[in-house]
Amino acid sequence: MDNSEVAQVFFEIADLLDLQDVAFKPVAYRRAARNIEALEEDLNKLLADGRIEEIPGVGEAMAKKIEELLTTGKLGYLEKLRSEVPAGLVEILRVPDVGPKTAMVLHNDLGISSIEELKEAVLGHKLHGIKGFGEKTEERILQGIRTLEAKGGRTLLGLALPVGQAYVEYLRASQKLDMIGIAGSLRRGKETVGDIDILVGDDQPAAVMEAFVSYPQVAEVLMKGPTKSSVRLKDGLQVDLRAVGTESWGAALCYFTGSKEHNVEMRRIGVQKGLKLNEYGLFERDSGKMIAGATEEEVYRALGLRYVQPELRENSGELEAAKEGRLPKLIERGDIRGDLHVHTTWSDGFSKLEDIVEAASKMGHEYVAITDHSQSLRIAGGLTSEKLRRQVDAVRKAEDSAKGRIAVLAGSEVDIKSDGSLDFPDSLLKDLDIVIASVHSRFKMEKAAMTKRVLTAVGSGRVHVLGHPTGRLIGQRAPYELDLEEVFRAAKAAGVSMEINSFYDRLDLGDTNCRLAKAAGVTMAIGTDAHRVEHLEYIKYGVITARRGWLETKDILNALVAKELRKRLGGRKP
Ligand code: DGT
Ligand code: CA
Ligand code: CA
Ligand code: ZN
């Protein structure tokens, strides 16, 4: 067992004691757990030296428990506590606003011992009768359950990244740091993250730790140590900070970027070469001499590998590719020349067409496609044929007003109806510069029917892009039943691109499916699905997703210059 595992056990003990309404002890266990997490040294080493009781807050009784955990990997006391408290009650504590007291009342009065049962009771208004519980409490608990379900305890990339970047900028500026950056799953660009990890290279990090816990957004300091601290922000996000010596910056950045699986494979490659890799550096096994560690690049090089971009570090073939020099040259934000999916006040957007065009031009786009909804999608203000005709004129005018600064494509995000037909007649679609076809209704069709529906649209000869191809909303709505492989095959044959919808609750296609689509020879179109000017920036999340899908410039439709794009879009329309 390592330090963090022992700390986890102590946290669990504290929860279990809370549920038994034991006084004082939970606080003591939590304090000890935090101190263990903050330790510099390995507990196993402290045990060997007989120094366990030197840990602040750890007395004789706790020291014995730590020893039992380290030597046997188990703890009798924990097992006893677990047997005394109904399984599931600990889980209920994860619901925001439900503390141990509430959990015990719910259990004793209503026999509730799982989140599932709690939800049922709340929906059935069973909490009403209990003293101290009212409608408000029910509402709050239900809200809490929903939040928990939606995120699975994780936060969307698009919500976490700005928070992490602002935190890093605050530390960089106030502490004059050059070695600072985001690590963990956030650096890898995963669609959701468990927490935010920040790494600092600094030989005297005391002031950095102080500044970290003093950040105005901090709600609670979970732990503060000389090289490690951890906070919870007001919005609920947890942020971990680690500081390492400057000579270890690269090795530590590798280590704390992960993924864990990538790290394991890196260490294995090291072992084969007689080397030892950890967060402090790369060392010769026999002499202990440090041979790399100041930069990530030198760590990879010393292992005989090309540099692996963070988005690829999932142990899904990137290390073999790095060894053989066949890593992809990943698409970058700067390679993207325009946005292919934008809504305006003509349908359900909040920004005017003219403002979108202006903003897109300002951010450096060579083109922007205006793609409002089609007539069937009434709740989203879908355009009638006649209104779309008028919008095309407005788009041409907006382009003229831009005086060559930006090309404006007249398009539509046209509904794929349940029989696979498109929501506008051919005669209208053929006059548009770009057509995105999307499913927005009847999500629950069976796989065969849904696949046929989508294939009909893909094969219509009128469609350039299949919009948000799986329909999933991260943490909220599962993808619809669809044979994606068959869709990819048809798309390749018809020259239809798959969208990477960049809105951070969609990211659709996601990373894995991007990779599959590329393997099937399909190109991707990155679009923001912006509904207001500010959303245009979300293109970055589409780019990150594309990178996680191993995509290169040639795989991306909107990496083409305007002229080439027009040729490609026009070329395949009959
Ligand atoms: P998350 O936060 O669940 O989205 O995922 P990560 O990957 O950010 O994981 P996190 O925050 O627990 O740890 C950050 C990185 O630190 C992780 O990607 C790899 C490294 N790391 C953490 N714990 C371990 C460990 O026990 N073994 C190894 N090899 N690496 C670890
Ligand atoms: Ca993390
Ligand atoms: Ca972490
Ligand atoms: Zn849509």
Side-chain angles (χ1 to χ4, degrees):
M1 274 206 168
D2 64 18
N3 295 14
S4 85
E5 287 166 321
V6 172
Q8 283 316 312
V9 169
F10 275 36
F11 279 125
E12 186 180 345
I13 289 174
D15 286 344
L16 291 166
L17 289 170
D18 261 338
L19 288 169
Q20 297 194 332
D21 210 12
V22 175
F24 308 120
K25 274 185 171 184
V27 179
Y29 272 98
R30 279 202 188 94
R31 187 186 323 122
R34 285 193 197 113
N35 291 333
I36 290 168
E37 272 191 327
L39 281 179
E40 297 291 283
E41 284 178 89
D42 188 344
L43 277 175
N44 293 288
K45 172 121 197 322
L46 288 179
L47 179 64
D49 299 348
R51 291 164 50 219
I52 291 282
E53 282 185 54
E54 288 175 19
I55 304 167
V58 173
E60 199 188 330
M62 285 193 205
K64 280 224 178 75
K65 293 189 176 84
I66 294 174
E67 179 169 356
E68 185 181 338
L69 277 169
L70 292 177
T71 49
T72 70
K74 285 192 293 211
L75 182 60
Y77 181 60
L78 174 67
E79 274 152 40
K80 174 175 158 287
L81 284 176
R82 277 182 179 162
S83 72
E84 289 166 359
V85 172
L89 264 197
V90 174
E91 185 199 9
I92 288 184
L93 293 180
R94 285 172 40 230
V95 179
D97 278 327
V98 176
K101 287 229 169 63
T102 309
M104 276 326 278
V105 172
L106 292 169
H107 180 65
N108 293 337
D109 289 19
L110 296 172
I112 291 169
S113 54
S114 72
I115 292 184
E116 213 32 60
E117 288 169 9
L118 177 58
K119 190 173 172 185
E120 236 169 73
V122 170
L123 291 173
H125 295 293
K126 297 267 164 55
L127 271 55
H128 262 5
I130 305 174
K131 206 169 145 254
F133 287 66
E135 207 158 317
K136 278 265 159 58
T137 326
E138 287 188 339
E139 219 167 276
R140 259 202 350 257
I141 293 178
L142 189 59
Q143 204 62 45
I145 295 175
R146 293 249 155 86
T147 312
L148 197 65
E149 283 175 345
K151 298 189 295 193
R154 300 178 66 82
T155 302
L156 298 173
L157 172 67
L159 298 176
L161 191 58
V163 175
Q165 284 172 337
Y167 216 145
V168 163
E169 281 325 306
Y170 153 84
L171 288 171
R172 190 200 307 277
S174 72
Q175 302 301 305
K176 311 210 169 11
L177 299 164
D178 1 286
M179 287 187 192
I180 180 166
I182 289 170
S185 53
L186 189 53
R187 182 166 183 240
R188 303 199 307 279
K190 273 191 77 157
E191 59 200 28
T192 64
V193 303
D195 65 4
I196 296 176
D197 300 283
I198 299 176
L199 184 71
V200 162
D202 190 338
D203 296 319
Q204 268 146 7
V208 180
M209 293 294 146
E210 198 51 50
F212 177 71
V213 299
S214 317
Y215 189 49
Q217 298 304 313
V218 170
E220 188 189 353
V221 177
L222 304 173
M223 177 211 325
K224 180 166 178 276
T227 62
K228 255 201 229 187
S229 296
S230 195
V231 298
R232 184 170 304 289
L233 300 180
K234 287 172 187 159
D235 59 13
L237 263 165
Q238 186 179 321
V239 188
D240 293 346
L241 175 70
R242 260 303 277 254
V244 295
T246 48
E247 77 290 348
S248 298
W249 166 249
L253 197 50
C254 280
Y255 184 89
F256 291 107
T257 296
S259 66
K260 214 163 168 173
E261 294 73 21
H262 177 89
N263 290 352
V264 167
E265 189 57 23
M266 288 271 280
R267 281 199 294 274
R268 207 183 55 79
I269 293 170
V271 167
Q272 285 174 347
K273 295 181 178 303
L275 302 172
K276 191 179 142 213
L277 176 65
N278 57 31
E279 65 264 54
Y280 302 106
L282 183 62
F283 304 89
E284 283 178 0
R285 188 180 47 218
D286 300 331
S287 67
K289 186 174 154 242
M290 179 160 166
I291 60 166
T295 67
E296 284 191 313
E297 287 77 2
E298 73 179 35
V299 171
Y300 281 101
R301 199 179 320 122
L303 288 169
L305 302 166
R306 300 284 173 87
Y307 177 75
V308 179
Q309 298 288 345
E311 293 91 337
L312 299 183
R313 300 183 195 173
E314 299 293 346
N315 194 31
S316 56
E318 74 279 8
L319 286 167
E320 291 86 327
K323 192 170 159 201
E324 293 158 17
R326 49 174 183 78
L327 283 167
K329 185 176 178 319
L330 297 181
I331 181 91
E332 291 175 14
R333 169 66 187 84
D335 299 328
I336 300 298
R337 294 173 185 271
D339 193 334
L340 296 181
H341 187 163
V342 179
H343 297 272
T344 71
T345 47
W346 282 79
S347 67
D348 62 345
F350 297 91
S351 295
K352 288 194 288 193
L353 168 57
E354 296 72 20
D355 296 340
I356 290 281
V357 171
E358 188 53 35
S361 164
K362 274 225 179 78
M363 66 191 278
H365 282 330
E366 274 179 41
Y367 45 84
V368 59
I370 304 300
T371 54
D372 275 306
H373 291 291
S374 62
Q375 50 199 1
S376 291
L377 204 61
R378 294 220 185 82
I379 50 160
L383 274 56
T384 58
S385 294
E386 182 260 336
K387 197 168 170 191
L388 178 55
R389 291 264 182 216
R390 276 192 282 128
Q391 190 191 35
V392 173
D393 291 340
V395 166
R396 304 294 179 229
K397 271 207 196 89
E399 189 176 49
D400 287 346
S401 309
K403 296 194 190 334
R405 281 181 295 126
I406 186 166
V408 189
L409 306 184
S412 172
E413 182 183 12
V414 61
D415 260 36
I416 303 175
K417 297 200 274 192
S418 42
D419 63 356
S421 64
L422 301 172
D423 196 21
F424 285 129
D426 266 12
S427 54
L428 175 52
L429 293 175
K430 77 169 174 31
D431 292 340
L432 299 178
D433 301 320
I434 184 167
V435 175
I436 302 175
S438 305
V439 169
H440 286 126
S441 59
R442 304 244 357 240
F443 300 124
K444 296 213 157 82
M445 287 170 74
E446 296 181 5
K447 188 167 184 173
M450 185 61 99
T451 303
K452 187 154 168 268
R453 176 182 181 184
V454 171
L455 290 177
T456 305
V458 165
S460 67
R462 290 289 169 215
V463 171
H464 301 101
V465 178
L466 180 64
H468 41 75
T470 78
R472 64 115 175 227
L473 291 174
I474 301 171
Q476 290 176 61
R477 188 170 75 208
Y480 23 76
E481 298 284 330
L482 182 65
D483 186 340
L484 264 185
E485 272 182 52
E486 214 178 309
V487 172
F488 293 161
R489 267 199 299 277
K492 157 112 173 92
V496 169
S497 300
M498 292 295 116
E499 180 173 64
I500 299 177
N501 189 296
S502 308
F503 218 97
Y504 56 76
D505 62 354
R506 286 195 184 270
L507 297 180
D508 183 10
L509 295 177
D511 47 18
T512 310
N513 283 328
C514 282
R515 213 171 156 186
L516 293 172
K518 176 184 170 129
V522 176
T523 57
M524 263 46 75
I526 302 182
T528 56
D529 206 349
H531 281 67
R532 57 175 86 238
V533 160
E534 291 76 16
H535 297 162
L536 293 171
E537 289 296 336
Y538 295 169
I539 199 91
K540 62 183 167 224
Y541 304 121
V543 173
I544 291 171
T545 302
R547 289 168 64 84
R548 288 182 57 83
W550 292 54
L551 302 187
E552 310 184 86
T553 318
K554 63 173 163 42
D555 303 313
I556 307 294
L557 185 63
N558 44 327
L560 293 175
V561 298
K563 206 171 139 210
E564 291 298 318
L565 177 74
R566 280 203 198 272
K567 224 194 274 172
R568 183 82 72 90
L569 296 176
R572 46 163 301 284
K573 276 207 280 181

